Amino acid sequence: MTDDPAIRVVDLRKRLGTRDVLRGVDFSCRGGRHYALLGPNGAGKTTTLRIVAGLLSCDAGEVVVAGESLATRARAAHRHRIGYVGEDSGLDARLTVREVLRFVAGAYGVRRPDPAIDALGDELHFGEYVERRCGALSKGTRQKVAIARALIHDPAVLLLDEPTANLDVDASLAVETALASDSLRRRTVILSTHRLDEAERLCDSVIGLYEGRVFVEAVIADVAAEASGAPDFRRGFVALLNSQRVGATAL
Amino acid sequence: MTDPPTLVTQIGQVFARDAVQFLRQRAVVLRIALLPVLYVAIAFVTPSVLSQHQGSAAQPQLRVSTTAAVAATPFGQFLRSLPGYRVDVAASPRQRVSRDEADLAVVATASGGVTLSFDPERERSRLALAITSASAANFNLVQTLALLPAEQVVTARQALLQAQPRSIRGRDVRKLATLGSLLGFALLAFIARSSNALAIEKDRRTAEALLVLPLSSAAIVLGKAAHQLAQAATTSVIAIAAAIVGGQVAGADYHLNHSAAALVLTMVDMLTVAALLIATGALIGTLVRGVTESAVWTSFAALPMVAAAVTLPFIESPAAWLRWLPFFGQFRGMQDALTGTPSWVHEADVGTVTAALVVVLLALATRWLRSDNAVLRATT
């Protein structure tokens, strides 16, 4: 863990169509810590993650990863530092797990991917399925493979966009177990989620987004205090979010 | 330990990924392999087979009325020698030839009802076409018999090369339009498959995972295009083999030039056309949200190509620049190659123009693949 921010997002702005999705997002993430990106639908969570991942460009602002700005660094080089897992596992149904992971490893230039694949299979508990086609896997296992795909090149930063959305309880728990594994604990993780309980279990800090702006950036344990007297993190976060909604209505 | 792959390696990676997925769909692979065989059967073999069953005689019906003077020429004697052909030495009531030119005139009345009158020396092409339409009842230029220039009977293929029939009327128009439409629909398949190669990634929700990789946009576009081109090459080989074997099986002797040069040129023509279609499909694939939208845009993109396939053969005296035009140029190139005069120069001309267009289309696809609009369409 270091004091230098692993990710720094400065005044990020993005307009999609006629809507200002991001209106000046600022936050920073320290190395080796886990951050929950929370907010209602349309708050700008996915857009923020996609910009940080280098999938989308921003209209204004800056994204700095490990001291280097995305604006000055080649996108391909930027992607080497980041692992990204979307809401959908995005696995090729006709390929086996090993073939998918080999392809991704090849794209990152990993020289000998098989030991890494086997190690990730053991750690994330999908080792027995590596020779099976992805189309035959359960949703939970697919999502675990998607996480392994994002880790195959050993990135410093992992971005997870609602990895447990649309999963049943068992699958969600399986993914949560994967997220709590040692491989992830040592990386900087931003986890976009709607689930406050998940954020509380898996993350150290929270970044709250509402209508394209950050309204809270705090350690999980401090959120209740910031909400002036809320009994716990969840109620504290909801209180802070509601104060934003009241403010927006008043405006 | 990582070692960033080169562009060529990246292209190979995307190619292999797509190829493995494609080959695992055995039923689809089998159908795609069967498709050119069916197309060849419909376009070339079936009309010949059907024409042989028209009328009471097994042979094509051709009734040629001419004058005694013409009947005495080598050409007249040649017509008489053909099995199933009747040559009436009596003048036809529809004959429209002056007596001064009678010894040079022939009226061919095709069994299909097409009647043409012409001066055989000056209008050799129309005679060739009339006999073709009557004998094969399909638009089979290769099977043309032409009037002899003077004293000798030449083979059908040589006659065609001299005649170069371009004047098409009556039933032949419809037949050619049908063939052109068929060709257009066959072309559609290449665009559709190429655009779907990217569009299906969006439907399957694998596009985002692909785009977030450090693969260059060019590698993704070119890798997918290369896979489609490999499929097109295989399809071309099957189509040519089917045309040759099918023609023999159906008893339709097209007098095709089966030399290695002709077949290679035909392959080159088919592949350059396929490359252009694949590049068009790649561009469509980057812009659409999924397979449904891809199908719609593919249909629109194919409209001018179908129009060209249907109309260009009717142009009597094509302008020189038309030889450079993709599709038309390749059509002519294939025709020339298979009928005995393969031209590498012509191939280089039209190939250069086509290659330039392919490069432009692929460059646009590469540029747009990771544009915000394209990414949003791929992920929402």
Side-chain angles (χ1 to χ4, degrees), chain B residues 42-271:
Chain B
I42 293 169
F44 296 100
V45 179
T46 307
S48 286
V49 173
L50 290 178
S51 71
Q52 289 180 20
H53 294 288
Q54 286 180 347
S56 55
Q59 294 295 329
Q61 297 295 299
L62 177 67
R63 185 187 180 93
V64 178
S65 297
T66 184
T67 63
V70 171
T73 65
F75 176 67
Q77 293 166 16
F78 169 67
L79 288 178
R80 284 166 182 273
S81 70
L82 294 173
Y85 287 66
R86 285 182 57 195
V87 179
D88 292 343
V89 181
S92 162
R94 281 178 284 182
Q95 189 171 349
R96 287 173 284 161
V97 182
S98 72
R99 288 205 169 273
D100 294 342
E101 296 174 326
D103 59 338
L104 291 173
V106 174
V107 174
T109 305
S111 60
V114 178
T115 300
L116 299 170
S117 61
F118 43 82
D119 178 331
E121 282 300 312
R122 288 188 307 209
E123 298 185 90
R124 174 177 310 199
S125 62
R126 294 179 66 197
L127 172 62
L129 188 71
I131 296 175
T132 301
S133 64
S135 62
N138 69 351
F139 183 71
N140 177 13
L141 296 176
V142 183
Q143 207 172 10
T144 299
L145 298 172
L147 181 62
L148 301 176
E151 64 281 7
Q152 61 176 353
V153 175
V154 292
T155 64
R157 194 175 69 210
Q158 288 168 323
L160 171 70
L161 296 177
Q162 291 171 15
Q164 291 292 336
R166 307 302 306 162
S167 177
I168 302 156
R169 296 288 182 271
R171 284 187 168 191
D172 296 307
V173 172
R174 292 195 292 276
K175 285 167 192 161
L176 187 59
T178 306
L179 186 59
S181 304
L182 199 63
L183 181 65
F185 285 118
L187 300 182
L188 265 175
F190 281 115
I191 310 180
R193 272 150 59 181
S194 175
S195 64
N196 282 352
L198 272 166
I200 208 159
E201 301 265 8
K202 301 172 186 181
D203 277 359
R204 289 178 183 159
R205 318 291 290 177
T206 54
E208 188 176 39
L210 183 64
L211 294 176
V212 83
L213 295 176
L215 294 168
S216 75
S217 301
I220 295 173
V221 170
L222 292 176
K224 284 181 172 294
H227 173 237
Q228 294 300 319
L229 199 63
Q231 283 190 38
T234 310
T235 305
S236 302
V237 169
I238 295 172
I240 291 173
I244 294 170
V245 175
Q248 298 294 327
V249 170
D253 184 3
Y254 292 103
H255 302 280
L256 293 180
N257 180 358
H258 292 167
S259 71
L263 293 180
V264 168
L265 270 180
T266 304
M267 274 285 292
V268 169
D269 278 318
M270 292 176 94
L271 287 181

Side-chain angles (χ1 to χ4, degrees), chain A residues 14 57 84 94 99 109, chain B residues 3 17 24 204 208 212 372:
Chain A
K14 182 69 180 173
S57 64
Y84 177 85
R94 292 189 185 85
E99 285 169 339
Chain B
D3 188 9
R17 169 180 175 269
R24 291 219 166 123
R204 289 178 183 159
E208 188 176 39
V212 83
D372 281 0

Side-chain angles (χ1 to χ4, degrees), chain A residues 14 16 50 53 55-58 75-76 79-80 84 86-96 99 103-104 106-112 133 149 153, chain B residues 1-5 9-10 13-14 17 20-22 24-26 201 204-215 370-373 375-376 379-380:
Chain A
K14 182 69 180 173
L16 295 175
R50 284 179 178 163
L55 272 169
L56 289 176
S57 64
C58 58
R75 289 273 180 101
R79 290 187 184 112
H80 272 277
Y84 177 85
E87 185 178 335
D88 293 292
S89 59
L91 301 177
D92 304 300
R94 292 189 185 85
L95 299 182
T96 65
E99 285 169 339
F103 168 70
V104 173
Y108 283 107
V110 177
R111 284 180 197 161
R112 292 184 192 83
R133 289 192 192 176
R149 182 182 56 197
H153 59 295
Chain B
M1 189 71 76
T2 62
D3 188 9
T9 307
Q10 290 180 29
Q13 288 167 347
V14 176
R17 169 180 175 269
V20 170
Q21 292 191 74
F22 172 71
R24 291 219 166 123
Q25 307 170 75
R26 288 179 194 158
E201 301 265 8
R204 289 178 183 159
R205 318 291 290 177
T206 54
E208 188 176 39
L210 183 64
L211 294 176
V212 83
L213 295 176
L215 294 168
R370 281 196 170 108
S371 67
D372 281 0
N373 278 338
V375 170
L376 288 169
T379 54
T380 53

